[in-house]
Amino acid sequence: MRTDFQHLLVHQDGGVLTITMNRPEVLNAFNDVMLEELGETIDAAAENDAVRCVVLTGAGRGFGSGQDLKSFAAMSASSEPVKVSVHLQKYHCVVLAIRTMPKPVIAAVRGVAAGISCNVALACDLRIAADDARFIEAFARIGLVPDGGGGFFLPRLVGFGKALEMALLAEEVSGPEAERIGLVNKCVPVAEFEAATHALAQRLANGPTRAYGLIKELMNKSLDSDLQSSLRLEGELQDIARGTEDHREGVMSFLQKRRPHYTGR
Ligand code: T3D
């Protein structure tokens, strides 16, 4: 894996790849370089069998403050301004790569996750937050609509009414409140955040990776599917899962009353 990035720290520990967005002086606001580096790293992680779980996090006191508003303003002021819908496509590639990657992706959120940084976290499979986390659908504060998949993921995670409240009022949601409303899976004290993230990531990296990929596919497709199609798909995916070494290992370890050792195959 490439690790020499300008605005990302990329570290692999066993099967866990940790990607740290690294512009702490602006709370890890996205500029084009960081966005492109993130897209490249997520794509590489998806292809690399040695990576069995990805953690996305931020350096310093925040997860991310959304699009860098200085470069955004410069973009608008340019003599040939790029349409936002065109610029957003780079974010969309990242969101789609996270959703389709056949292995789990965890967003680990300390401090602020605002704007499109918040919504990139929502695109991840699981979210762990520290109790100092602040989730802000900041878009309406500057007269924009939620982007980066926020309009899709937010109502599905917290329900329609709460999603509208978060998007319209653009108020901060704390880590504990985010856990209460289902925006994150787990909120832990800051002092325990690193260890809890590590434990969750290692657990997933040691799990049946191929089944995890199939689980993601089943859940992704359920979002725009009917019952019959979903039942058909579960059969197709179960045929694939049934043929994996990890499935055989799972059954054997149960019968032999021992812990399974999954290899991801
Ligand atoms: O195609 C497209 O690109 C369109 C996509 C748009 C997507 C979006 O994400 S729109 C939303 C953009 N984000 C925001 O509107 C959030 C702006 N930031 C804030 O409201 C606040 O900074 C926070 C609530 C996130 C955090 O507040 P606080 O008090 O903890 O920190 P701070 O002091 O405001 O920020 C620390 C520094 O980071 C500060 O720099 P300074 O003054 O110390 O030199 C601040 O200017 C900088 N910073 C924070 N957010 C951004 C930023 N710089 C550039 N862009 C930012 N988004």
Side-chain angles (χ1 to χ4, degrees):
M1 294 280 306
R2 189 183 154 203
T3 55
D4 58 329
F5 293 107
Q6 194 178 338
H7 295 312
L8 289 186
L9 302 173
V10 176
H11 174 72
Q12 186 152 1
D13 174 16
V16 178
L17 187 81
T18 301
I19 305 172
T20 305
M21 296 176 282
N22 190 27
R23 302 186 72 219
E25 67 285 1
V26 287
L27 299 172
N28 306 315
F30 277 105
N31 63 6
D32 278 358
V33 174
M34 191 171 91
L35 180 56
E36 279 156 23
E37 289 179 343
L38 182 60
E40 178 186 329
T41 308
I42 298 263
D43 286 346
E47 295 295 317
N48 186 340
D49 288 345
V51 175
R52 295 174 62 189
C53 176
V54 174
V55 176
L56 178 62
T57 192
R61 71 173 174 95
F63 177 81
S65 59
Q67 168 66 34
D68 187 309
L69 291 178
K70 287 185 197 121
S71 50
F72 196 51
M75 217 159 64
S76 312
S78 125
S79 54
E80 287 177 39
V82 180
K83 269 187 103 174
V84 177
S85 56
V86 173
H87 188 246
L88 277 173
Q89 286 170 11
K90 293 185 193 169
Y91 285 105
H92 296 169
C93 290
V94 169
V95 166
L96 289 170
I98 291 171
R99 291 295 342 120
T100 56
M101 182 181 316
K103 52 193 93 176
V105 184
I106 301 169
V109 179
R110 263 212 67 174
V112 77
I116 205 157
S117 302
C118 179
N119 290 342
V120 168
L122 301 192
C124 294
D125 300 310
L126 295 176
R127 278 156 296 286
I128 183 165
D131 58 7
D132 70 350
R134 304 149 65 195
F135 294 88
I136 316 173
E137 288 290 330
F139 306 89
R141 289 185 183 183
I142 55 168
L144 292 179
V145 303
D147 56 23
F152 184 86
F153 296 112
L154 193 60
R156 284 167 169 80
L157 285 166
V158 300
F160 193 73
K162 197 74 195 172
L164 270 173
E165 180 188 321
M166 284 183 68
L168 291 173
L169 301 183
E171 286 172 353
E172 292 190 12
V173 172
S174 69
E177 175 69 357
E179 183 185 64
R180 197 187 67 76
I181 65 177
L183 191 67
V184 303
N185 302 87
K186 198 175 170 65
C187 175
V188 297
V190 169
E192 294 166 26
F193 175 67
E194 224 170 280
T197 302
H198 181 75
L200 179 62
Q202 284 296 342
R203 174 180 168 174
L204 289 168
N206 292 332
T209 310
R210 290 201 54 206
Y212 288 159
L214 299 169
I215 289 167
K216 283 184 70 165
E217 185 177 343
L218 184 62
M219 297 295 170
N220 283 341
K221 291 194 173 149
S222 81
L223 295 172
D224 55 8
S225 179
D226 56 46
L227 177 60
Q228 275 196 335
S229 310
S230 189
L231 294 176
R232 192 164 45 245
L233 180 65
E234 77 175 22
E236 290 167 15
L237 298 179
Q238 203 68 298
D239 281 341
I240 300 171
R242 190 80 200 277
T244 62
E245 284 179 24
D246 282 344
H247 166 62
R248 286 193 287 281
E249 166 65 6
V251 174
M252 284 302 283
S253 65
F254 174 77
L255 296 175
Q256 294 169 356
K257 298 190 186 301
R258 61 172 172 80
R259 289 167 74 89
H261 174 70
Y262 292 121
T263 59
R265 291 191 291 270

